[in-house]
Amino acid sequence: MAAPSEGGRVPARLGPDMMNPLTALDIKRICTGQHSDPFSVLGPHLVEGRQLFIRTFLPNAQQVQVIEVSSRRLIGKLHAVNKEGFFERAFPATTPTTYRLRITWADGSETIAHDPYRFAPRLSDLDLWLFNEGTHLRPYEMLGAEPLQVDGIAGARFSVWAPNASRVSVVGNFNFWDGRRHPMRLHAASGVWEIFLPEVAIGALYKFEIRSSEGHVLPARADPYARRSELRPATASIVAHLPPLLPADARWRQANSLKAPMSIYEVHLGSWRRKLVKANDGGTNAEHGQWLNWDELAETLIPYAQQMGFTHLELLPIHEHPFDGSWGYQPIALYSPTSRFGDPAGLTRFISACHATGLGVLLDWVPAHFPNDVHGLAQFDGTPLYEYADPREGFHRDWKTLIYNFARPQVKSFLQGNSLYWLERFGVDGLRVDAVSSMLYRDYSREPGEWLPNEMGGRENLEAIALLKRINEIIGSERPEAMTAAEESTSFPGVSRPTYDHGLGFHYKWNMGWMHDTLSYMARDPIYRKHHHNEMTFGMAYAYSENFILPISHDEVVHGKGSLISKMPGDLWQKFANLRAYLGFMFTHPGKKLLFMGCEFGQWKEWNHDQSLDWHLLTEPNHEGVRCLVRDLNQLYRGTAALHELDFEARGFEWLDANDAEQSVLTYLRRGQAERSLCVVICNFTPMPHRAYRLGVPHAGVYRERLNTDSAYYGGSNVGTPLAQALAEEIPWQGQRFSVLINLPPLATLVLEWVG
């Protein structure tokens, strides 16, 4: 039943249901919070065109008077129907419906309030239809809590999708968390419930109280579309403005392009650095200190990343999440930036500050699974609404989490809208999509008989594949300057190929195989490396099958795997030399770069999300040397077209010698688009230096040493070529017409640039 319009008079279009008298059962259901259609009972109702009934339910009210809004005159006093707080009265049909209620409470206090049941629906049929069809690009504009004004009256419109509920109420700190007070209106065709609550302000706490189809009251749910949330362990959603739509920034289209240098600093904001706090002994301790807020992060993290030469920050998931130990990978509110670091406006300021210094911002995005906390999405309306119903499809055994029902249209709207939300409303420059492999395969981490095949009998999740393609197409159309990267660990074809070419449409794919192979090689004693030489060369066999990012991520330094430096063999000097050589190899190998925080200075301890990084290590020469090397590698990588411009084209790379396993030496060329853009890279993965090492080169002239990871400046032994340059001789070598003689340091990577 539609409520009266905001025009002041009850329209004659009210349905024939109003001809029937109000029943005692209706009143009982309202008073017990069980009525499925409260707008058919409460508020103003014109009966037979002769009388206007005004009804309200206000527990603990002693008296209720009706006051006209414009004139503030008393229209009349409502009659108490029962002791529970149900009031009604019949007025002449000409009575204005723009009224307020003057309420006298049991304790003698008095308030004046607007009646939420006199306001018409605020949602459009088109929005509801698009959402229901799974084609709404921005459902966050219609669902959730939206502060707005209706007829000059400030309040908030609440709306939530719960199609199988028998009743949904808004509860919050504005109505005593009482589900009887503000039951919502159902748009039956879409399953969306809605109500406008006058005078509910920004910052109000709220949840949705839902009765299942069987009538059971479920634990109160946080808003799936909440824009802000309480800090754990509290779980309420918070009324907040929709962040403003930010204009597209074309410069990031170039910065995210395949030919651009991309060096990503992956950061867990809660443990990058922490505030000093007072310790029991009266001193200070940063290890277990407080999180930095967004503005403090802007003042510290941004200049550090900029000085280190990184092009992008990648933030581990910042959706609201209940458990710190999930690092954000078990999100409870995909639309709500975590309150750990401040409010959403702080995040906007942080990203703006990044952009002002030329840093891009990527977010780790988690559409693959969600936790089963009782205030979250699990069994949201008493049924498996967001998740697949069958645990063979809807439950992740590895993470003990639930899997979105990628076939359900409204879930598609939820997820594809969320991908745009971060790009359009916060100015994020790209999304790294977590756990894509688990989305692509129905048998992911399952034994035979524990999974359901697709409609064609196969193991692929066709609905998830279609959704990923659609999301990438939407981003390409609506925010073409943004990029997407997939964490995908299988050989699924075409992850980073366009959808029109039968790909998934991602711009980049994490190269998990390269990471596993090369770290396995580096962990070996150099004496045995010659037997595993292919672990360093195999990556080039498939290097052009995808647009790869080379990831040394958080996953490699947790769960007993040890830190990056601790993986390296040998004594102290050799450990650091191995790490420096490996970083040199990584930054000269085809593919964009990603390095997790702490790896850039060789932190000894495995990463702990509850502690700050060990910044005190930078007072030690070895650690400071690694940090300086990463800074210089970034500068060399960004400033040298040959090292990034043709990452994904075969003409950008050429082996000089991939087969010198006996000496564990790799030599290769990197080329840019310009003919004179050429670098020669030599990696020695044994502690044996080689004097007068002959190296084939394609052109005559001078080859200048641009970087030597064995430099004393970085903590090395300072073996190098005299004058840091070599003159090519017309002596054929390694298939090249010319060659140079160099001194090849132990456990080191050299980069020579052809300067003519």
Side-chain angles (χ1 to χ4, degrees):
M1 207 286 298
S5 70
E6 293 105 16
R9 301 288 178 182
V10 177
R13 60 181 172 83
L14 289 177
D17 56 313
M18 285 297 95
M19 302 299 181
N20 299 322
L22 190 65
T23 67
L25 181 59
D26 281 324
I27 296 174
K28 179 181 178 181
R29 286 176 173 169
I30 289 291
C31 294
T32 56
Q34 299 182 71
H35 207 292
S36 61
D37 187 11
F39 279 82
S40 68
V41 176
L42 301 175
H45 295 281
L46 186 65
V47 178
E48 297 181 349
R50 295 192 299 271
Q51 289 183 307
L52 181 76
F53 279 83
I54 295 178
R55 305 185 185 104
T56 186
F57 176 61
L58 295 166
N60 298 319
Q62 294 297 303
Q63 177 178 282
V64 180
Q65 296 174 313
V66 180
I67 304 169
E68 186 179 1
V69 170
S70 57
S71 66
R72 300 185 180 181
R73 70 177 179 86
L74 176 65
I75 296 175
K77 176 183 174 183
L78 301 185
H79 304 305
V81 174
N82 57 30
K83 295 181 180 180
E84 282 74 28
F86 193 96
F87 296 81
E88 76 164 347
R89 181 177 171 179
F91 294 94
T94 56
T95 301
T97 58
T98 52
Y99 61 83
R100 290 193 294 175
L101 303 174
R102 180 187 288 140
I103 308 159
T104 303
W105 300 100
D107 62 1
S109 63
E110 185 177 279
T111 59
I112 296 178
H114 291 276
D115 183 359
Y117 294 93
R118 73 173 182 83
F119 292 92
R122 310 306 306 170
L123 298 178
S124 76
D125 291 339
L126 177 60
D127 274 334
L128 293 168
W129 183 82
L130 290 173
F131 173 72
N132 220 37
E133 290 292 305
T135 56
H136 205 304
L137 299 187
R138 298 169 183 87
Y140 54 82
E141 295 178 349
M142 57 167 283
L143 291 167
E146 173 66 19
L148 50 78
Q149 287 196 350
V150 178
D151 289 347
I153 300 164
R157 181 208 66 209
F158 296 86
S159 51
V160 64
W161 177 54
N164 303 302
S166 61
R167 187 270 291 158
V168 180
S169 295
V170 181
V171 295
N173 59 0
F174 43 83
N175 65 7
F176 307 101
W177 302 93
D178 185 347
R180 299 173 300 162
R181 293 175 183 267
H182 291 130
M184 304 169 75
R185 163 194 287 117
L186 173 64
H187 296 268
S190 64
V192 172
W193 300 75
E194 174 202 13
I195 193 170
F196 172 71
L197 295 185
E199 298 164 332
V200 171
I202 300 290
L205 305 180
Y206 72 99
K207 287 185 178 181
F208 295 111
E209 185 185 276
I210 299 173
R211 279 188 180 269
S212 70
S213 59
E214 292 81 18
H216 305 304
V217 176
L218 306 175
R221 308 299 199 203
D223 183 359
Y225 287 85
R227 299 164 186 171
R228 189 178 175 191
S229 305
E230 281 190 292
L231 177 63
R232 57 92 180 110
T235 57
S237 303
I238 302 175
V239 176
H241 279 302
L242 181 65
L245 180 65
L246 299 177
D249 191 339
R251 62 180 166 158
W252 294 109
R253 190 166 193 171
Q254 174 59 33
N256 291 334
S257 72
L258 302 183
K259 294 186 182 299
M262 184 177 293
S263 180
I264 303 165
Y265 188 45
E266 188 190 32
V267 177
H268 177 259
L269 294 174
S271 58
W272 179 74
R273 192 187 294 272
R274 293 199 173 195
K275 299 177 189 176
L276 294 174
V277 295
K278 291 291 184 181
N280 293 334
D281 59 5
T284 57
N285 180 4
E287 270 197 357
H288 301 282
Q290 298 173 338
W291 301 304
L292 302 180
N293 63 36
W294 289 116
D295 294 322
E296 291 164 335
L297 286 163
E299 293 169 0
T300 52
L301 173 58
I302 293 174
Y304 176 78
Q306 183 191 30
Q307 292 161 11
M308 288 295 293
F310 291 102
T311 64
H312 293 70
L313 291 176
E314 181 172 309
L315 309 181
L316 266 64
I318 58 170
H319 324 294
E320 194 58 78
H321 53 283
F323 176 47
D324 292 352
S326 79
W327 316 328
Y329 288 100
Q330 294 191 15
I332 205 74
L334 274 188
Y335 285 84
S336 177
T338 178
S339 53
R340 288 165 173 81
F341 315 116
D343 62 18
L347 171 59
T348 300
R349 292 193 301 273
F350 174 82
I351 294 174
S352 178
C354 286
H355 289 166
T357 64
L359 271 175
V361 180
L362 311 177
L363 288 191
D364 215 328
W365 188 55
V366 190
H369 61 121
F370 61 92
N372 56 9
D373 297 68
V374 295
H375 67 284
L377 299 180
Q379 294 276 320
F380 187 76
D381 63 358
T383 68
L385 189 62
Y386 283 86
E387 68 270 34
Y388 287 109
D390 193 315
R392 291 173 294 177
E393 297 178 288
F395 183 72
H396 263 308
R397 295 175 49 175
D398 291 349
W399 306 313
K400 305 297 187 288
T401 52
L402 302 175
I403 302 171
Y404 288 105
N405 185 339
F406 302 117
R408 183 160 285 160
Q410 299 87 346
V411 175
K412 293 179 186 178
S413 288
F414 176 76
L415 291 173
Q416 67 197 20
N418 189 252
S419 70
L420 272 186
Y421 177 74
W422 297 101
L423 301 174
E424 292 186 331
R425 298 290 171 167
F426 291 97
V428 168
D429 305 297
L431 302 174
R432 177 267 192 185
V433 183
D434 178 64
V436 169
S437 301
S438 74
M439 298 175 67
L440 297 178
Y441 298 103
R442 288 176 164 268
D443 63 346
Y444 181 86
S445 196
R446 298 179 190 274
E447 299 298 326
E450 296 177 344
W451 58 279
L452 297 179
N454 63 36
E455 60 188 18
M456 296 186 294
R459 59 192 287 256
E460 296 81 11
N461 189 321
L462 303 179
E463 307 95 79
I465 291 169
L467 177 64
L468 289 171
K469 288 182 175 182
R470 180 60 181 147
I471 286 172
N472 282 320
E473 288 171 347
I474 290 169
I475 291 173
S477 172
E478 302 294 320
R479 219 65 175 184
E481 73 280 7
M483 61 83 94
T484 57
E487 184 207 21
E488 205 286 303
S489 57
T490 74
S491 57
F492 191 92
V495 171
S496 58
R497 294 292 177 259
T499 56
Y500 61 75
D501 192 24
H502 309 291
L504 290 183
F506 288 93
H507 299 87
Y508 298 99
K509 173 180 173 175
W510 275 25
N511 194 336
M512 312 295 282
W514 176 92
M515 177 270 297
H516 284 296
D517 287 347
T518 60
L519 286 181
S520 176
Y521 177 90
M522 293 305 301
R524 302 181 191 280
D525 190 302
I527 198 172
Y528 302 117
R529 284 176 176 170
K530 62 184 179 182
H531 303 298
H532 303 274
H533 196 67
N534 66 308
E535 290 178 331
M536 297 300 272
T537 62
F538 183 61
M540 288 311 303
Y542 58 87
Y544 307 114
S545 62
E546 301 278 3
N547 303 326
F548 282 121
I549 291 173
L550 310 181
I552 303 299
S553 74
H554 63 280
D555 278 329
E556 312 324 313
V557 295
V558 289
H559 300 322
K561 297 176 186 176
S563 66
L564 191 58
I565 183 66
S566 71
K567 299 178 194 295
M568 304 297 153
D571 59 21
L572 184 67
W573 186 90
Q574 288 193 23
K575 282 182 178 293
F576 278 94
N578 271 300
L579 177 57
R580 294 192 302 267
Y582 181 64
L583 291 169
F585 171 71
M586 173 185 178
F587 273 78
T588 56
H589 191 284
K592 308 311 180 186
K593 325 300 176 191
L594 180 141
L595 197 62
F596 184 58
M597 64 182 200
C599 296
E600 82 276 12
F601 61 81
Q603 171 160 307
W604 283 112
K605 288 193 302 188
E606 185 174 272
W607 171 52
N608 184 336
H609 68 272
D610 282 328
Q611 297 181 4
S612 172
L613 295 180
D614 290 337
W615 293 103
H616 63 275
L617 293 176
L618 291 177
T619 61
E620 301 179 15
N622 280 325
H623 296 280
E624 174 62 8
V626 174
R627 188 195 68 80
C628 290
L629 173 64
V630 172
R631 179 199 63 197
D632 291 353
L633 281 169
N634 271 325
Q635 291 174 351
L636 177 65
Y637 167 68
R638 294 177 66 173
T640 308
L643 295 179
H644 64 256
E645 208 166 43
L646 300 178
D647 270 333
F648 310 119
E649 299 181 38
R651 62 192 175 105
F653 178 90
E654 179 183 349
W655 284 115
L656 290 173
D657 192 348
N659 301 310
D660 191 1
E662 189 62 33
Q663 298 187 96
S664 297
V665 173
L666 297 172
T667 52
Y668 47 91
L669 300 176
R670 292 299 312 272
R671 289 189 173 92
Q673 293 190 110
E675 183 179 354
R676 298 193 64 82
S677 180
L678 174 71
C679 285
V680 186
V681 182
I682 317 98
C683 303
N684 179 11
F685 291 113
T686 71
M688 180 69 67
H690 300 280
R691 304 284 179 178
Y693 185 90
R694 187 165 292 278
L695 179 69
V697 293
H699 304 294
V702 174
Y703 288 78
R704 181 175 301 155
E705 184 181 281
R706 291 293 308 278
L707 186 132
N708 178 356
T709 66
D710 186 55
S711 167
Y713 183 62
Y714 306 131
S717 61
N718 220 34
V719 174
T721 303
L723 303 178
Q725 63 182 33
L727 181 64
E729 305 172 82
E730 197 166 352
I731 299 175
W733 201 260
Q734 295 175 322
Q736 306 298 316
R737 179 180 172 186
F738 302 91
S739 60
V740 296
L741 286 177
I742 63 170
N743 291 332
L744 183 55
L747 293 173
T749 294
L750 295 181
V751 181
L752 306 178
E753 185 176 24
W754 178 46
V755 296

